Amino acid sequence: MMWAHALWTLLLLCKFSLAVLPAKPENISCVFYYEENFTCTWSPEKEASYTWYKVKRTYSYGYKSDICPNDNSTRGNHTSCSFLPPTITNPDNYTIQVEAQNADGIIKSDITHWSLDAITKIEPPEIFSVKPVLGVKRMVQIKWIRPVLAPVSSTLKYTLRFKTVNSAYWMEVNFTKEDIDRDETYNLTGLQAFTEYVIALRCATKESMFWSGWSQEKMGTTEEEAPHGLDLWRVLRPATVDGRRLVQLMWKKASGAPVLEKALGYNIWYFPENSTNLTKTLNTTNEKLELYLGGKTYWVCVVSYNSLGESPVATLRIPAINEKSFQCIEAMQACLTQDQLVVEWRSSAPAVDTWMVEWFPDLDSEPSTFSWESVSQATNWTIKQDELKPFWCYNISVYPVLQDRVGKPFSIQAYVREGIPSAGPVTQADNIGVKTVTITWKEIPKSQRNGFITNYTIFYQAEDGKEFSKTVNSNILQYDLESLTRKTSYSLQVMASTSAGGINGTTINFKTLSISILEIFLITSLVGGGLLILIILSVAYGLKKPNRLKHLCWPDVPNPAESSIATWRGDDFKDKINLKESDDPVNMEEDRVLKPYSFPRDLIDKLVVNFENFLEDVSTEELGKGQENILREEKNEYVTSPYRPYCPLISTEIPQRKSQQLCSRIPEGICLETTEQLLSSVPNLGPDRICEEGEPNPYLKNSVTTREFLTSEKLPEQTKKEV
């Protein structure tokens, strides 16, 4: 028995240890939906096992109690329960307790106490009108219907919220209504003139902690007034040659002006400083105007007007061309925070508390529109990213404004969103060498950059070789590649990168040279230097030994017509050689030169001596063979007279020296007789006879030398002297 009792106790303990009770209901909350139901909720919302809930209520100030019906959402892990009329009384105090039960047991929540007046929730009101009141500026009147399901005798409290159209920020106004009229009204004041507003309303009983839902939104517009004011700005262009400059005036509604404000036109007048009598007035319906002003300081005034009046005057001072502007901005930066672009700057002038921020897109062409905004009592400026275009670069400038003077701006560039460039750089190869090449590329157009270019990467690869890369800064548009292979084809492309990524440009191909220009220059210099040295040495040798150089370059060629070697025989050949060696070399040089011979005018035109007759005369005198050889050696000269160009006359003239040489070898008697015969035969040869002689001996035809007499003014005198 002892063992059985112990076993039973052990099983009981195991059962209790394995039992999992439901979670205790907590965070009980109850709401009294006026004249509809009383609903309570609790946690936990989910259980590990199937759980039943029971809600116990005491009401009528504790005199009655009941349980929430099972068919009212208390089955199967449901964590809410509603009590329905007619058991709901108001006012009253309730107590609520929730029991949770599963297969392992039951657990109860703490008892909670509820006052129905404090937890009453009613329906939202219904707005049926939002209109301005005639004659009352900057106000709208809201009218609505009191909720039907609301305590009749209870005072209701209201919350009215409103905002301008396109604004994301709501403003709220709280008020109470003690009357029990069905139609309620409220005047909302302090609004902007001629502005459209969005209105919503909610309500609750005075003692309740629960508000009704928001009513449907309703829109209304305030009455129109005279224009609120203008913000005026300018863009100064460089002065022209004549000293005039273009000033672009721009204006817009002042910050805080009504959204719906409209102007019928604008009046502009301007004048030189301290010369109001030179005022000029213009009128326009546009919000910009171009003026050509001189180099002096000018004042410009602009007002807008509508049917109700004019706006306050907006004035702007245009500085003189030579006026120096002050500078106080030391640094500036732009950063992105969530959905806004924030620009901050640091100033060195505490007295400056007004700034003009100007921004426009940085495009390849001149911007057509500028945006600007005035900032006061701050050194930062914010703009929503939605107001700027993504992938566009914006130039942002901040101008310090001190009273009526504008200082020098400080400018930066910014993107609200960056992307990969739309196109890569266009690349070309220049200065191709043996192992080097210069790579140049063009900047990507501003409209295609989509962000700040951070760097360029050059990818190049030899044919069937390994790819190499070089990265350079964004301000470099040229790079020299070195250590290339001689006479090798390469492919190359340049990648432009932003913070979002990079894109490759055009691919180009080039081939390195087999020989460089420097090498060609060195070879040419060596060859040219060698030739120059050779020429210098040749000239020096020629100056030192001119005859050798002359004979080396221009050797003497014997004239076969002057040769008589065919008539030489035996010992005569040797004697002739000795004779030539004994001749005076100086006289021989003189003999080689043909000398002109003059003659008196009364002589015949031609003197002809037939060489064959001359030989016959010599042979009759029984000259020896040696003398014949000497005579045959002498030159026969055929002279053509300038007075008879068409008659081939033949003349023979024997120089004096030759005659002396001939007579030296002939006996004296014979020589004198021969000379007389020769002279006596000359006068008998007239012109007619000479022409009848015919052609010379064929044997002597190739040895004939022709001389032309040159006519001149001195010819007679020279003839007389020689005769």
Side-chain angles (χ1 to χ4, degrees):
M1 291 294 294
M2 292 292 295
W3 288 103
H5 182 72
L7 182 59
W8 182 83
T9 303
L10 181 60
L11 292 174
L12 185 62
L13 291 174
C14 291
K15 180 180 178 180
F16 280 107
S17 62
L18 295 175
V20 179
L21 297 176
K24 180 181 179 180
E26 295 178 346
N27 300 324
I28 299 173
S29 176
C30 297
V31 178
F32 173 39
Y33 295 97
Y34 187 75
E35 294 187 359
E36 289 185 359
N37 60 66
F38 178 84
T39 301
C40 295
T41 59
W42 59 89
S43 63
E45 296 180 355
K46 293 182 180 180
E47 290 284 355
S49 60
Y50 191 81
T51 304
W52 298 268
Y53 291 98
K54 182 187 295 185
V55 180
K56 294 181 179 181
R57 177 187 66 161
T58 63
Y59 62 100
S60 296
Y61 297 99
Y63 290 103
K64 296 180 180 181
S65 64
D66 61 358
I67 298 174
C68 187
N70 292 335
D71 59 350
N72 210 8
S73 304
T74 58
R75 299 179 183 178
N77 292 341
H78 287 272
T79 58
S80 65
C81 183
S82 297
F83 295 90
L84 302 176
T87 60
I88 300 175
T89 58
N90 186 39
D92 201 350
N93 292 328
Y94 291 174
T95 62
I96 299 296
Q97 186 179 34
V98 180
E99 292 183 359
Q101 180 181 358
N102 62 10
D104 295 326
I106 299 173
I107 190 168
K108 297 181 179 180
S109 69
D110 297 333
I111 298 175
T112 58
H113 300 270
W114 303 96
S115 173
L116 294 187
D117 290 337
I119 59 174
T120 300
K121 188 172 184 179
I122 61 178
E123 291 181 345
E126 181 183 353
I127 301 174
F128 64 88
S129 176
V130 178
K131 294 181 179 180
V133 178
L134 185 62
V136 181
K137 306 297 184 183
R138 303 188 180 188
M139 185 190 78
V140 292
Q141 188 177 73
I142 302 101
K143 293 183 179 181
W144 70 93
I145 300 175
R146 183 185 174 95
V148 176
L149 297 179
V152 178
S153 60
S154 298
T155 300
L156 299 184
K157 56 184 179 182
Y158 293 90
T159 299
L160 187 149
R161 68 179 186 180
F162 63 96
K163 68 174 183 177
T164 58
V165 176
N166 300 325
S167 176
Y169 302 99
W170 290 91
M171 293 175 283
E172 294 184 352
V173 176
N174 296 317
F175 58 93
T176 59
K177 286 291 185 178
E178 296 181 358
D179 52 3
I180 58 175
D181 296 336
R182 182 167 177 79
D183 295 339
E184 302 284 354
T185 61
Y186 183 79
N187 294 328
L188 182 61
T189 59
L191 305 178
Q192 295 179 357
F194 203 46
T195 303
E196 189 174 20
Y197 286 89
V198 180
I199 307 295
L201 194 64
R202 69 178 180 176
C203 63
T205 60
K206 189 175 182 180
E207 298 84 4
S208 177
M209 69 177 67
F210 294 111
W211 288 88
S212 69
W214 289 102
S215 66
Q216 289 187 347
E217 295 177 353
K218 197 77 173 180
M219 290 187 294
T221 305
T222 56
E223 277 196 345
E224 186 178 7
E225 292 182 353
H228 181 73
L230 296 173
D231 282 341
L232 184 60
W233 188 237
R234 84 293 187 272
V235 176
L236 304 180
R237 299 298 184 184
T240 58
V241 179
D242 59 355
R244 297 170 62 83
R245 55 180 168 168
L246 175 63
V247 178
Q248 289 181 297
L249 291 178
M250 303 172 292
W251 56 85
K252 62 181 179 179
K253 290 185 293 187
S255 56
V259 177
L260 299 179
E261 180 182 278
K262 295 181 180 179
L264 299 178
Y266 304 94
N267 291 326
I268 305 101
W269 64 93
Y270 59 96
F271 54 90
E273 193 172 37
N274 302 325
S275 300
T276 56
N277 57 333
L278 300 177
T279 302
K280 294 183 180 180
T281 305
L282 299 172
N283 180 270
T284 183
T285 56
N286 299 322
E287 291 187 342
K288 59 183 178 180
L289 182 68
E290 292 184 352
L291 298 177
Y292 285 91
L293 304 179
K296 300 179 181 179
T297 302
Y298 278 81
W299 282 91
V300 179
C301 304
V302 182
V303 296
S304 60
Y305 61 88
N306 60 13
S307 59
L308 299 176
E310 292 184 346
S311 68
V313 179
T315 59
L316 185 66
R317 181 178 180 271
I318 308 299
I321 294 178
N322 56 358
E323 181 178 321
K324 293 184 178 180
S325 302
F326 67 94
Q327 185 173 4
C328 64
I329 300 178
E330 297 177 345
M332 187 165 64
Q333 65 177 2
C335 59
L336 295 173
T337 58
Q338 297 179 354
D339 61 342
Q340 291 183 335
L341 175 66
V342 180
V343 179
E344 298 177 343
W345 59 90
R346 185 174 67 252
S347 173
S348 60
V352 178
D353 59 355
T354 303
W355 316 86
M356 190 65 74
V357 182
E358 177 188 87
W359 70 95
F360 58 90
D362 185 17
L363 303 176
D364 296 311
S365 58
E366 186 71 19
S368 58
T369 59
F370 293 81
S371 301
W372 76 98
E373 185 176 342
S374 179
V375 178
S376 299
Q377 306 297 327
T379 56
N380 59 76
W381 172 74
T382 61
I383 186 173
K384 293 182 179 180
Q385 294 187 22
D386 297 339
E387 299 181 24
L388 303 176
K389 293 184 179 181
F391 312 131
W392 278 34
C393 180
Y394 284 87
N395 289 326
I396 303 175
S397 302
V398 178
Y399 293 79
V401 180
L402 182 60
Q403 296 178 357
D404 57 0
R405 296 181 179 272
V406 179
K408 290 184 179 179
F410 197 104
S411 301
I412 60 171
Q413 291 185 326
Y415 284 87
V416 295
R417 183 181 174 186
E418 294 191 49
I420 299 174
S422 302
V426 178
T427 311
Q428 65 179 13
D430 299 322
N431 302 328
I432 301 175
V434 176
K435 294 185 177 181
T436 61
V437 65
T438 300
I439 305 301
T440 58
W441 57 92
K442 297 180 180 179
E443 278 189 307
I444 301 174
K446 296 178 181 178
S447 59
Q448 297 180 346
R449 294 178 189 174
N450 300 337
F452 292 115
I453 303 298
T454 55
N455 57 67
Y456 293 99
T457 304
I458 305 170
F459 297 97
Y460 62 99
Q461 181 180 11
E463 189 175 7
D464 300 330
K466 182 180 178 182
E467 184 178 65
F468 297 92
S469 63
K470 298 287 184 180
T471 301
V472 297
N473 295 330
S474 58
N475 59 340
I476 296 177
L477 299 176
Q478 178 178 311
Y479 189 79
D480 295 330
L481 293 179
E482 300 178 350
S483 302
L484 302 180
T485 306
R486 183 190 298 264
K487 199 178 181 181
T488 304
S489 297
Y490 284 87
S491 61
L492 180 143
Q493 59 184 354
V494 178
M495 181 179 70
S497 302
T498 64
S499 60
I503 186 172
N504 291 327
T506 56
T507 301
I508 62 172
N509 298 304
F510 65 91
K511 187 176 182 180
T512 54
L513 302 178
S514 58
I515 184 171
S516 66
I517 298 176
L518 180 61
E519 293 173 345
I520 295 174
F521 177 77
L522 291 176
I523 294 173
T524 306
S525 300
L526 292 176
V527 174
L531 292 176
L532 180 62
I533 293 173
L534 181 61
I535 292 172
I536 293 173
L537 293 177
S538 300
V539 171
Y541 180 78
L543 294 175
K544 186 175 181 181
K545 297 181 178 180
N547 293 332
R548 287 197 177 185
L549 182 61
K550 178 180 178 182
H551 290 295
L552 181 64
C553 297
W554 302 281
D556 293 335
V557 178
N559 188 353
E562 298 178 358
S563 175
S564 60
I565 192 170
T567 60
W568 297 348
R569 296 178 183 179
D571 296 336
D572 295 335
F573 182 80
K574 295 180 181 181
D575 295 338
K576 186 64 179 177
I577 294 175
N578 295 332
L579 177 63
K580 290 289 183 178
E581 290 178 357
S582 63
D583 289 342
D584 187 4
V586 177
N587 294 333
M588 293 296 291
E589 291 295 333
E590 293 178 356
D591 294 342
R592 294 178 184 176
V593 180
L594 297 178
K595 297 180 181 180
Y597 289 87
S598 60
F599 55 91
R601 293 186 178 181
D602 54 351
L603 293 179
I604 62 175
D605 294 338
K606 292 286 185 175
L607 295 178
V608 180
V609 178
N610 191 304
F611 189 72
E612 291 183 358
N613 295 334
F614 174 74
L615 292 179
E616 291 178 359
D617 294 338
V618 174
S619 62
T620 55
E621 298 296 330
E622 296 181 352
L623 295 176
K625 294 181 179 180
Q627 286 80 4
E628 292 179 0
N629 293 336
I630 294 173
L631 291 174
R632 291 175 181 175
E633 182 187 1
E634 302 302 324
K635 296 181 181 179
N636 297 320
E637 296 180 1
Y638 295 84
V639 181
T640 301
S641 172
Y643 302 99
R644 299 289 298 275
Y646 298 102
C647 182
L649 301 179
I650 301 172
S651 65
T652 302
E653 187 173 315
I654 302 175
Q656 181 178 0
R657 191 177 62 85
K658 290 290 183 178
S659 302
Q660 293 176 0
Q661 292 179 357
L662 183 62
C663 293
S664 64
R665 296 200 174 211
I666 301 176
E668 183 178 357
I670 298 174
C671 182
L672 293 174
E673 185 180 353
T674 301
T675 302
E676 291 176 356
Q677 292 178 1
L678 178 61
L679 294 176
S680 62
S681 63
V682 171
N684 298 327
L685 296 176
D688 298 334
R689 183 179 176 183
I690 293 173
C691 292
E692 293 176 357
E693 289 296 328
E695 297 294 331
N697 192 315
Y699 175 78
L700 299 175
K701 182 177 181 179
N702 293 333
S703 63
V704 174
T705 302
T706 301
R707 173 182 296 175
E708 288 188 5
F709 286 92
L710 302 177
T711 60
S712 63
E713 296 178 356
K714 298 180 180 181
L715 190 60
E717 297 177 0
Q718 294 175 355
T719 304
K720 292 178 181 181
K721 292 179 181 180
E722 291 181 3
V723 172

